[in-house]
Amino acid sequence: MSRILAKYYIETPDDAGKTASLMAKMQSTGTWKDLDGEAALAARFGAKVESVNITGNKDSYSLPTRYPAGRKVTSAEVIISYPWENFGPKISMLLTTVAGEIFDMYELTAVKLIDIEMPDDFVNLFPGPQFGIEGSRKISGAFGRPLFGAITKPCVGLTTKQQAELAYQAASAGADFIKDDELLADAPYNRIADRAKAVGIAMKKSFRETGKCTMYAVNITDDPDKTMKFHDIVRKGGAGALMFNSFTGGFNNLCVLARHTKLPIHLHRDFAAASLRSSYIGISPVVYVKLARMCGADQIQCGGLGGYLYESDEEMLQSMRACTAPMAGLKPALPVSSGGMWAGKLADNLKKIGNNDFMFLCGGGVFGHPDGGYAGMRSLFEAWDEYNGRPEGNNLKAAKKAFETGK
Amino acid sequence: MSRILAKYYIETPDDAGKTASLMAKMQSTGTWKDLDGEAALAARFGAKVESVNITGNKDSYSLPTRYPAGRKVTSAEVIISYPWENFGPKISMLLTTVAGEIFDMYELTAVKLIDIEMPDDFVNLFPGPQFGIEGSRKISGAFGRPLFGAITKPCVGLTTKQQAELAYQAASAGADFIKDDELLADAPYNRIADRAKAVGIAMKKSFRETGKCTMYAVNITDDPDKTMKFHDIVRKGGAGALMFNSFTGGFNNLCVLARHTKLPIHLHRDFAAASLRSSYIGISPVVYVKLARMCGADQIQCGGLGGYLYESDEEMLQSMRACTAPMAGLKPALPVSSGGMWAGKLADNLKKIGNNDFMFLCGGGVFGHPDGGYAGMRSLFEAWDEYNGRPEGNNLKAAKKAFETGK
């Protein structure tokens, strides 16, 4: 079988080449002690150091370690290849192999999986997006422009009835997409069974009145024995889409859901930054997006351009490009810009992203509009109109007045 | 309902108190924009800043951020309380709430969840260890001493027959516990269905010959729709235990497994260090252990005292104590010391841990023994004998000769 290439940024107070060899050994056939019979297995099952490119050195350890203090540190980019026969087409075991106990190694004072290249025959065994950009556009009838979405706010505490009212406001204003906040799933005071039904009714009412279809993604993140039950409830209720919290729900659970779903899956990334954000440990946002897409996410949150999340514009654009770049037989996933967005930030998003193939998703930017959720959603369409040279609408004007003076 | 207390270490270039309030707001009812109706929900659903204790300041940002550069940074310990009614007894949504998008906040240049205190009524809704220390001792008949365990090595590439042979070597030498490496689960060349059967036969053979019961934990980490099927296969085959990779398999999947299992669960922590190791982001090892125990792990890997993993002895001892400290109605989980262990390190483990309630688990230290796996396992018992003042056995002597000159 073919091999997976993993590129790491490492720092080590030991020899970089020796440390790279140890990484390859520890993550395949070997351990700290040489073993009888290991050599015979290495050709077929061994991970292999493909390259070590020393990039610099420094005087301090970037991560805590029990390695003796005070040594000079070498930084390097290392490429290691793994035979995927070692684990098969399973996301959990892929991660355990390319991003497992290497994070614990005391010889490494930095270890970041910065990119991963997977062979087509491997990638094609995963579900991938079933809907992606094209499917999301078809369902909502949104063509030739970004999709406009809303997150119901306040995040938690609303009754299902209040939630459905907010959803109706945004839907009747033409929203392509609405979703639960990531903090709300099957809560004791607001059950998925009730909410899915209530927002489904609201979406159908809006559709009857406007002829426009709006997806509402109900957050079904929970224990995996409930996943398919919640899927069926949401499908039956007519909300039209699912939301899933990637890291706390689990990529393996996402895979199972994606193989069975009849609805598009919107992926939130809460908790992921614990592994993504540091320059010195974890996996890069690009690796995250590649895996999320492979596991079947149709719409992938990539941060918010110019919003309140940590990452730079360039990092976010890299994540967005990973949603759509050619990748075996996978459909492109829809990149989502979210986190502090409102109408006034649309033009900057469009300019920097350079195309329309993304979702512009607002929480406070829609439901924090001074004239309510309907006006908030309209302000997004008016921002699109203004970007295209048409006169500024009243809802956009009100949004600018309210938000430009704020944060 | 009662509240969960989460203690964070934070660094911020903004005002610490203001930032703590924003964290509480963002992780419950609020967003960046004040919302109509939010105030009415806050009393019941709002997270609340319980304390802000400023601990120092520094001149640099410990994490990448788009926050304006060059400001002075304040560090603080912050305690925030969350009503668990917001999400219910679900591990995924607990994490999304206490350790979710706060990791993305650009006002935070460090954010580490260092401890969590959960009310008994909440904790008791989770499965917790079904076997724990007492159950693990009963199954293996190991009393008045640490449990001695072995990890089959080489990690990957062995046939099921070879795997069963190694398991038999260690079991017939008196092993309490044997397990797959974390890199091996349902691999194309070594299926769980075959391996569970083969090692089950080996365990039964050893039991017939020695009268001593050995658990073999088969690693069933996979997509969640296979979890219960693999459980049943392992149970039927007679291997006697399960292994699970916590972060790549998922705590929510662990919960489901723990609610149904008839076998003890051994928890590996690969990938977890991506969130545990940095001082500036993620969750602490103690939080990890508390959650793992709550989700039903019977045996929890806590690092290796004096081994090749990164953490200091003190950090590891903290994790081990979290396995057994009083926690609502939960049984104590068995702490596991593993990662570069061999017979010569047992005495140091015993002295530092200060009691016998742990598993001493060796891979290379057993199967890398110059006289093979049987001698390797015997060397652990001989190290225990030596610790108790009995003369040094030959297998221990050979282990010292082989390993003390090595790493």
Side-chain angles (χ1 to χ4, degrees), chain A residues 20-50:
Chain A
S21 298
L22 190 62
M23 290 168 72
K25 191 174 142 141
M26 297 287 283
Q27 292 308 108
S28 58
T29 53
T31 182
W32 57 279
K33 173 73 183 71
D34 287 333
L35 299 159
D36 285 347
E38 189 187 338
L41 299 174
R44 180 169 161 194
F45 298 102
K48 196 176 141 201
V49 178
E50 301 288 342

Side-chain angles (χ1 to χ4, degrees), chain A residues 168-191:
Chain A
Y168 174 75
Q169 288 170 16
S172 57
D176 299 307
F177 178 86
I178 308 169
K179 74 170 195 68
D180 290 336
D181 191 86
E182 86 275 8
L183 295 168
L184 175 66
D186 190 43
Y189 68 91
N190 185 333
R191 292 285 176 199

Side-chain angles (χ1 to χ4, degrees), chain B residues 47-103:
Chain B
K48 195 176 142 202
V49 178
E50 300 288 342
S51 64
V52 177
N53 177 24
I54 291 175
T55 55
N57 55 63
K58 61 198 287 190
D59 292 319
S60 62
Y61 294 179
S62 300
L63 291 173
T65 184
R66 67 160 75 221
Y67 199 88
R71 312 257 178 109
K72 190 113 187 148
V73 170
T74 304
S75 60
E77 275 190 9
V78 170
I79 296 178
I80 296 177
S81 71
Y82 301 86
W84 67 262
E85 181 183 10
N86 288 12
F87 45 87
K90 289 128 196 279
I91 183 67
S92 303
M93 294 304 297
L94 168 64
L95 282 169
T96 290
T97 302
V98 302
E101 210 167 70
I102 40 166
F103 294 136

Side-chain angles (χ1 to χ4, degrees), chain A residues 90 96 108 222 270 277, chain B residues 90 96 108 222 248 270 277:
Chain A
K90 289 127 196 280
T96 290
L108 292 168
D222 207 300
D270 60 278
R277 185 169 172 181
Chain B
K90 289 128 196 279
T96 290
L108 292 168
D222 207 300
T248 67
D270 60 278
R277 185 168 172 182

Side-chain angles (χ1 to χ4, degrees), chain B residues 347-360:
Chain B
D348 190 49
N349 270 259
L350 283 160
K351 271 175 222 148
K352 286 181 178 150
I353 295 168
N355 65 60
N356 294 332
D357 278 337
F358 67 99
M359 182 190 289
F360 188 71

Side-chain angles (χ1 to χ4, degrees), chain B residues 90-399:
Chain B
K90 289 128 196 279
I91 183 67
S92 303
M93 294 304 297
L94 168 64
L95 282 169
T96 290
T97 302
V98 302
E101 210 167 70
I102 40 166
F103 294 136
D104 291 276
M105 282 174 65
Y106 79 161
E107 296 91 346
L108 292 168
T109 53
V111 47
K112 183 100 187 170
L113 177 62
I114 50 180
D115 204 359
I116 187 166
E117 293 295 334
M118 295 168 282
D120 289 0
D121 57 351
F122 179 75
V123 172
N124 289 336
L125 292 169
F126 286 81
Q130 195 184 131
F131 298 87
I133 295 178
E134 205 189 331
S136 299
R137 287 199 180 284
K138 266 192 196 157
I139 293 171
S140 57
F143 297 98
R145 58 168 176 80
L147 280 81
F148 294 116
I151 310 159
T152 55
K153 301 275 174 185
C155 315
V156 296
L158 296 176
T159 62
T160 54
K161 188 159 172 269
Q162 291 171 316
Q163 199 96 14
E165 280 164 9
L166 291 181
Y168 175 75
Q169 288 170 16
S172 57
D176 299 308
F177 177 86
I178 308 169
K179 75 170 194 68
D180 290 336
D181 191 86
E182 86 275 8
L183 295 168
L184 175 66
D186 191 42
Y189 67 92
N190 186 333
R191 291 286 176 200
I192 286 176
D194 303 325
R195 187 163 77 256
K197 200 173 159 187
V199 297
I201 290 170
M203 292 306 98
K204 284 182 259 184
K205 178 165 186 266
S206 162
F207 177 72
R208 278 196 309 272
E209 292 167 359
T210 65
K212 150 86 185 161
C213 180
T214 305
M215 293 172 267
Y216 186 108
V218 178
N219 184 5
I220 63 165
T221 308
D222 207 300
D223 289 346
D225 55 351
K226 308 217 179 64
T227 306
M228 291 318 299
K229 189 185 82 178
F230 286 149
H231 166 275
D232 294 346
I233 288 171
V234 174
R235 189 183 179 205
K236 195 175 159 211
L242 302 170
M243 171 170 160
F244 190 77
N245 298 351
S246 60
F247 257 49
T248 67
F251 274 151
N252 54 352
N253 196 12
L254 175 61
C255 273
V256 174
L257 177 61
R259 285 204 171 90
H260 293 92
T261 187
K262 305 290 179 195
L263 304 172
I265 302 168
H266 181 97
L267 196 70
H268 199 277
R269 62 172 202 179
D270 60 278
F271 195 92
S275 308
L276 304 184
R277 185 168 172 182
S278 168
S279 308
Y280 302 119
I281 197 158
I283 67 175
S284 73
V286 164
V287 171
Y288 168 85
V289 168
K290 285 184 177 181
L291 298 180
R293 182 178 168 196
M294 189 168 88
C295 292
D298 293 292
Q299 307 169 351
I300 301 176
Q301 293 205 6
C302 296
L305 262 174
Y308 60 68
L309 305 182
Y310 72 94
E311 65 223 308
S312 69
D313 289 354
E314 183 45 36
E315 282 169 304
M316 195 194 146
L317 293 171
Q318 280 173 11
S319 294
M320 295 186 94
R321 287 192 288 265
C323 289
T324 58
M327 189 175 176
L330 302 189
K331 290 182 189 169
L334 180 68
V336 179
S337 179
S338 181
M341 295 300 108
W342 64 279
K345 296 197 173 178
L346 178 63
D348 190 49
N349 270 259
L350 283 160
K351 271 175 222 148
K352 286 181 178 150
I353 295 168
N355 65 60
N356 294 332
D357 278 337
F358 67 99
M359 182 190 289
F360 188 71
L361 179 62
C362 308
V366 166
F367 293 107
H369 190 283
D371 301 319
Y374 181 93
M377 180 47 69
R378 288 310 313 157
S379 73
L380 303 188
F381 285 94
E382 291 175 12
W384 170 248
D385 286 344
E386 187 191 42
Y387 181 79
N388 288 289
R390 290 184 282 275
E392 188 188 52
N394 287 333
N395 298 303
L396 178 59
K397 207 173 286 178

